[in-house]
Amino acid sequence: MPSPIPVTRLLPKDFYPSLSIGVCSSPLTKYANATTLNVPAQRLHGKVASKLWSSVIHWKELQAMQQIGSGGFGSVYKATYFGDTIAVKKVKKCSKNKLASRQSFWAELNAAHLRHKNVVHVIAATTCVPANSENENNIGTILMEYVGSRNLHHIIYGSADALGKDTCLRYSADIVQGLRFLHSHGIVHLDIKPANVLVSNGDICKIVDFGSSIQVDRACEAGSVTPCLQNVGGTYTHRAPELLKGESITPKADIFSFGITLWQLITREQPYPGDREHVLYAVVAYNLRPPLEDEPLLRPTQGVHALSCRTLVCRCWSGEAASRPTAEEVLVALEELRSRP
């Protein structure tokens, strides 16, 4: 069985200079009632923010756990922590693929040291739990800000009313602002899709679920790449062709996923019919993409250089990563489209 991904691959350099890595390949140091990471202190927003950023979980302060979601590697709960509402993600130890679940937990911490209005922030994380705890079957526990119960998937497919151009472009700009920030810090999300974009009560989109993410060189926007990991994560309907072919990872993989997500916002349709294997093959071999003909926002515009949602979507999901725009360029295009009547 291959070794776990090295912690230096998954965590920012600030995290690991003083780490003592044991046989579990975990950068966490075990204590009696909590676990701590040697990380730089940063402040949060809200009441919990009165404390410095810390990866120590004070279990007695974690109360009122209520499950609100589940996935292949774990479950998400709504809870209170020091009296504030937060989200708790528990990564299962009993997954069919133990290596993948362990990698998923550490990947979740790639953006833990960062703060941005369009990225869900991490409050604390630990691999250890109090003795005789119901958490003993988990690889790790992550505390995060609680954004709410809505995500873009619910909004796109759960309403009878179309979103409209302004809303589509505003939500898209939120996502791309988050991506621009992540890419500037060398983080590629690798699983951008509507279900992984939460929408706050203030109608602000926030990127969540970094279980497939990877840290690349900080100059990634300038073209540096990271070799593609075997069994790279993500959702097949949104996965860039170069990842399907086992080629190098760049931030442009997130731009491809965003292109599919933007198409979903506009059309409110599922990307592909057919079975998974057919779709994966056709995306690479035949440049398969979702249809563009029916929606007014996706119809061709007059003029060779005319910017439209259609041209932006097509550029984002180009089969060649080098032909896709950067997050900064996508944001400029979205702002231009938003400024038009």
Side-chain angles (χ1 to χ4, degrees):
M1 180 181 239
S3 300
I5 295 176
V7 66
T8 54
R9 184 61 121 8
L10 293 175
L11 296 177
K13 291 181 180 179
D14 295 5
F15 279 51
Y16 60 75
S18 61
L19 298 179
S20 175
I21 309 300
V23 294
C24 66
S25 296
S26 166
L28 297 177
T29 305
K30 196 171 182 178
Y31 293 94
N33 295 314
T35 305
T36 186
L37 271 165
N38 294 321
V39 296
Q42 300 193 32
R43 294 192 176 274
L44 305 174
H45 301 288
K47 294 179 182 177
V48 176
S50 61
K51 299 180 178 297
L52 293 175
W53 192 98
S54 171
S55 57
V56 175
I57 293 181
H58 301 274
W59 294 99
K60 291 182 180 179
E61 300 295 336
L62 189 59
Q63 301 173 356
M65 299 279 286
Q66 175 186 354
Q67 186 170 336
I68 56 176
S70 62
F73 291 139
S75 300
V76 179
Y77 301 80
K78 181 180 179 181
T80 59
Y81 191 58
F82 287 99
D84 286 341
T85 301
I86 64 164
V88 181
K89 186 168 187 175
K90 297 182 179 181
V91 181
K92 297 175 185 175
K93 188 183 291 183
C94 57
S95 170
K96 293 180 180 179
N97 190 334
K98 294 182 180 180
L99 173 62
S101 60
R102 188 161 63 247
Q103 291 172 350
S104 175
F105 173 77
W106 291 116
E108 287 279 6
L109 303 184
N110 276 331
H113 64 303
L114 301 176
R115 295 291 177 266
H116 189 271
K117 65 175 183 148
N118 299 120
V119 177
V120 172
H121 70 246
V122 173
I123 297 167
T126 177
T127 57
C128 302
V129 296
N132 302 318
S133 168
E134 63 180 10
N135 297 301
E136 287 182 335
N137 289 326
N138 299 322
I139 288 174
T141 304
I142 302 169
L143 309 189
M144 301 173 288
E145 73 168 305
Y146 179 75
V147 177
S149 58
R150 293 191 307 161
N151 62 40
L152 272 190
H153 185 90
H154 299 144
I155 292 173
I156 292 171
Y157 300 112
S159 173
D161 300 322
L163 294 178
K165 176 184 174 182
D166 290 343
T167 301
C168 287
L169 295 178
R170 179 165 52 84
Y171 284 167
S172 297
D174 278 357
I175 298 169
V176 178
Q177 286 186 53
L179 287 178
R180 178 179 63 174
F181 175 76
L182 292 171
H183 294 171
S184 72
H185 287 81
I187 296 169
V188 185
H189 187 277
L190 291 178
D191 198 16
I192 294 297
K193 61 181 180 180
N196 285 342
V197 178
L198 300 180
V199 183
S200 72
N201 290 335
D203 219 28
I204 296 172
C205 292
K206 293 175 177 274
I207 298 170
V208 71
D209 197 343
F210 285 79
S212 297
S213 68
I214 189 170
Q215 179 102 34
V216 298
D217 189 274
R218 296 238 175 161
C220 54
E221 285 284 15
S224 64
V225 298
T226 292
C228 187
L229 300 174
Q230 188 177 14
N231 300 321
V232 68
T235 304
Y236 79 93
T237 52
H238 294 67
R239 198 174 301 164
E242 64 269 22
L243 303 186
L244 299 176
K245 293 186 285 187
E247 297 176 354
S248 296
I249 294 173
T250 74
K252 299 295 185 69
D254 284 344
I255 300 301
F256 181 94
S257 302
F258 166 76
I260 302 291
T261 300
L262 176 56
W263 178 89
Q264 290 176 274
L265 277 165
I266 294 170
T267 66
R268 303 176 68 217
E269 300 287 344
Q270 295 291 347
Y272 304 109
D275 59 77
R276 181 179 184 273
E277 288 71 21
H278 169 77
V279 169
L280 294 177
Y281 179 76
V283 165
V284 174
Y286 299 108
N287 206 33
L288 175 69
R289 301 292 185 270
L292 289 167
E293 290 78 17
D294 296 333
E295 289 295 324
L297 280 177
L298 293 175
R299 289 174 186 161
T301 55
Q302 297 297 320
V304 175
H305 301 292
L307 175 64
S308 66
C309 290
R310 180 190 181 95
T311 57
L312 181 58
V313 167
C314 290
R315 288 183 64 203
C316 288
W317 70 28
S318 170
E320 297 296 328
S323 299
R324 296 174 210 146
T326 64
E328 178 66 33
E329 291 168 339
V330 174
L331 193 58
V332 170
L334 287 170
E335 292 302 327
E336 180 179 340
L337 289 170
R338 291 179 70 186
S339 68
R340 294 181 180 178

